Amino acid sequence: MTIRDATEEDLPAIVAIYNAAIPGRMATADTQPVSLESRLPWFREHDPGRRPLWVAVDDRSLAGWLSFQSFYGRPAYHATAEVSVYVSQSHRRRGIGGTLLGQAITESPRLELKTLLGFIYGHNEPSLRLFHRFGFERWGSLPRVAELDGVERDLLILGLRMRA
């Protein structure tokens, strides 16, 4: 498996992986599939030198992706980023999410990041285990802020400070 910066040619596979996660109601607040066109501005916001979007490629297919998003969009938070990890259904339980998250932690100093955040639903046990395994701690809880199919869901804030 290789991890590399995403290219625009990867966007259809990135969107397909994301859309496949929507029906499970575990990983995203979107309730309907997103279009390729709607994700193009999001894709173009990523800068390989500051807020990259990486893809994991396994056997020539795109197996997963990780994105860094600026937190809160204000200059004082320049050293903080939210990370999102998505793995295709056919590649789950193969360590791809862990490989991506591990690289995010390793590369954070190069990206001038001191804090990584994860916003994860309280019922998403696989993602919570993954982030905890890499040292993320629960920093906050937003009780019942999301409603998915009539069920109110908690959003947990997980954080990791980089060691100096």
Side-chain angles (χ1 to χ4, degrees):
M1 178 179 63
T2 59
I3 298 174
R4 61 170 172 75
D5 290 319
T7 65
E8 204 164 303
E9 291 76 35
D10 296 318
L11 191 56
I14 291 167
V15 169
I17 290 170
Y18 182 81
N19 282 339
I22 293 172
R25 302 295 195 248
M26 297 262 292
T28 176
D30 281 310
T31 57
Q32 298 295 319
V34 299
S35 70
L36 190 63
E37 296 75 27
S38 73
R39 295 303 274 181
L40 200 51
W42 166 84
F43 175 85
R44 290 180 176 156
E45 288 172 4
H46 288 88
D47 170 7
R50 291 270 305 132
R51 298 293 185 268
L53 172 60
W54 294 329
V55 293
V57 181
D58 185 24
D59 298 326
R60 290 185 232 147
S61 66
L62 202 144
W65 56 271
L66 179 141
S67 68
F68 290 84
Q69 289 290 131
S70 292
F71 175 70
Y72 208 56
R74 298 216 172 58
Y77 300 110
H78 71 275
T80 300
E82 175 188 353
V83 292
S84 298
V85 181
Y86 286 84
V87 177
S88 74
Q89 291 178 344
S90 62
H91 288 84
R92 289 190 184 148
R93 304 193 62 83
R94 295 186 190 177
I96 293 166
T99 300
L100 285 162
L101 192 54
Q103 182 160 329
I105 293 165
T106 300
E107 292 292 316
S108 286
R110 179 183 67 80
L111 299 170
E112 300 178 3
L113 293 171
K114 296 178 183 175
T115 304
L116 295 180
L117 298 173
F119 293 84
I120 303 172
Y121 285 130
H123 65 286
N124 187 344
E125 288 296 328
S127 289
L128 291 170
R129 281 193 303 272
L130 172 66
F131 276 68
H132 283 138
R133 194 170 78 228
F134 282 88
F136 283 75
E137 298 174 331
R138 183 172 164 172
W139 285 1
S141 174
L142 302 172
R144 301 181 310 275
V145 296
E147 187 173 322
L148 298 167
D149 300 327
V151 179
E152 292 180 326
R153 298 295 189 173
D154 299 345
L155 184 66
L156 302 182
I157 303 165
L158 277 66
L160 177 68
R161 282 287 294 174
M162 300 300 114
R163 291 192 170 87

